[in-house]
Amino acid sequence: MKICITGGAGMIGSTLLRKLSNDNHEIIVIDNLWRGKVENINSIEGWNFSKNFYNLDLADQRNEEMLLDILKETQVIIHLADIVAGIGYVFNNQYEIFKINNTINTNIFSIATKLNIKKILYAGTACSFPKNLQLSLTSILKESQLFPAEPESAYGWSKLIGTLELQYMAEKHNINVTTLMLHNVYGPFCDIDPMRSQVIPSIIRKLIELKPNETLDVWGSGNQGRAFLHVDDVANAFKLALEKDNLPQIIQIGPDNCTSIKNLVTVLINDIINKPINVHFDSTKPEGDLGRCADYSIAYESLGWSPQVNLKDGLIGTYNWIKNKIN
């Protein structure tokens, strides 16, 4: 197949590209490198970077004619491109995130209707679930609970609107579409920019750069939790969805257990750093939803998917990757 991965130079996209590069597909990557990095994809074995990578802003409608030419004869779009970052960035840039994400989605979906696109796989987010369902470490989310909608952030709203737009477009134009609603993704090739990074890379970077006798500052009370999902498990979910037809329109991808930030820090310090470190949980900083995890039964039934990477192993690999990048 000819496949386009939007946002393909980021953590998820580059990991997925590695998994698909030896499967005899022709794969196009489009990324404006806001979070993605050329170094994530420019030396992947079996994939031609110079021929198949395009640095383009998908929010700029002036690129439509160029995109129509690039994507001709494409059968599948794996749509990962969006503006996403850590909680501080998200709450300080709500309008920009909402506007840009919706513009990207509309532009890509419009192009898909003008070409002979057979399938679109869209990266959704657990942030789109109602905030009143994310109140504890034992909050288990189901796809049927998305509505009535009340996401906490503009990011969650933008991704939910993208899911709706995709479904309406599919109904009119007879395109096979599925949204994979992802929980908190982490792993190698993550964004480690201090202004944009999410919770795991942010804490790992602080630990690596911590000077002797300094205190580790962590945002929030530490009692809030997330269903942490390794990027290899995400890439496997997209690969399985690529290979199957007649899927549900929404499939939740995430583990059925929620880890508190306090427990996350404990694992990082005791199992990886292995030395005493003072920790300060700053309750004046935003902490977002209090907790959530996934009922992934639909993913298991329709894709044969379940999470394979346990948190400790995933954190060790992520820590080592970030340490090598910083040093």
Side-chain angles (χ1 to χ4, degrees), residues 23 35 53 62 75 80 134 156 179 201 208 214 227 262 271 308 327:
D23 288 354
R35 292 189 91 196
F53 172 70
R62 293 172 297 182
Q75 284 99 16
L80 309 177
Q134 305 183 58
T179 296
I208 292 170
E214 280 189 338
K262 281 184 179 177
D271 295 335
Q308 300 299 308
N327 296 337

Side-chain angles (χ1 to χ4, degrees), residues 272-306:
I272 299 177
I273 304 297
N274 196 24
K275 62 181 180 181
I277 292 174
N278 293 322
V279 182
H280 172 242
F281 291 96
D282 189 349
S283 296
T284 68
K285 299 293 188 181
E287 61 182 30
D289 298 308
L290 298 181
R292 62 186 180 223
C293 57
D295 176 348
Y296 62 83
S297 57
I298 291 179
Y300 184 77
E301 292 163 5
S302 61
L303 298 175
W305 180 92
S306 60

Side-chain angles (χ1 to χ4, degrees), residues 96-226:
E96 290 77 9
I97 288 171
F98 187 83
K99 177 179 67 173
I100 294 170
N101 283 349
N102 282 303
T103 302
I104 289 171
N105 289 338
T106 295
N107 289 346
I108 283 293
F109 300 158
S110 175
I111 286 168
T113 66
K114 297 174 182 179
L115 299 170
N116 192 28
I117 301 297
K118 303 298 184 184
K119 176 187 284 191
I120 299 177
L121 300 177
Y122 174 58
T125 174
C127 296
S128 293
F129 281 94
K131 62 184 179 182
N132 67 299
L133 298 180
Q134 305 183 58
L135 298 178
S136 76
L137 301 183
T138 57
S139 297
I140 300 176
L141 303 178
K142 299 176 182 289
E143 289 84 346
S144 60
Q145 296 173 311
L146 276 169
F147 299 96
E150 193 186 5
E152 183 185 33
S153 67
Y155 172 67
W157 275 110
S158 71
K159 300 299 288 183
L160 183 60
I161 290 170
T163 296
L164 289 172
E165 182 178 0
L166 184 65
Q167 291 176 348
Y168 288 131
M169 182 268 295
E171 183 179 342
K172 181 174 182 179
H173 294 278
N174 195 30
I175 299 175
N176 188 344
V177 304
T178 296
T179 296
L180 300 185
M181 304 204 76
L182 310 178
H183 281 255
N184 286 67
V185 186
Y186 75 99
F189 308 100
C190 56
D191 188 351
I192 59 174
D193 185 309
M195 299 299 294
R196 298 194 306 252
S197 63
Q198 293 166 289
V199 57
I200 285 179
S202 175
I203 293 174
I204 288 177
R205 179 164 192 153
K206 288 179 181 179
L207 282 168
I208 292 170
E209 296 178 341
L210 203 65
K211 295 181 173 56
N213 300 319
E214 280 189 338
T215 296
L216 174 68
D217 286 315
V218 179
W219 282 23
S221 65
N223 296 319
Q224 77 276 26
R226 298 291 182 269

Side-chain angles (χ1 to χ4, degrees), residues 21 26 28 77 82 106 116 121 130 157 163 222 230-231 233 271 300 305 310:
S21 60
E26 180 185 356
I28 302 297
I77 295 175
D82 64 10
T106 295
N116 192 28
L121 300 177
W157 275 110
T163 296
H230 195 272
V231 67
D233 284 330
D271 295 335
Y300 184 77
W305 180 92
N310 70 60

Side-chain angles (χ1 to χ4, degrees), residues 2-28:
K2 183 175 180 181
I3 301 167
C4 172
I5 305 177
T6 70
M11 172 175 58
I12 297 173
S14 62
T15 305
L16 178 59
L17 182 58
R18 283 178 181 80
K19 289 186 180 296
L20 296 178
S21 60
N22 293 319
D23 288 354
N24 297 319
H25 301 300
E26 180 185 356
I27 303 175
I28 302 297

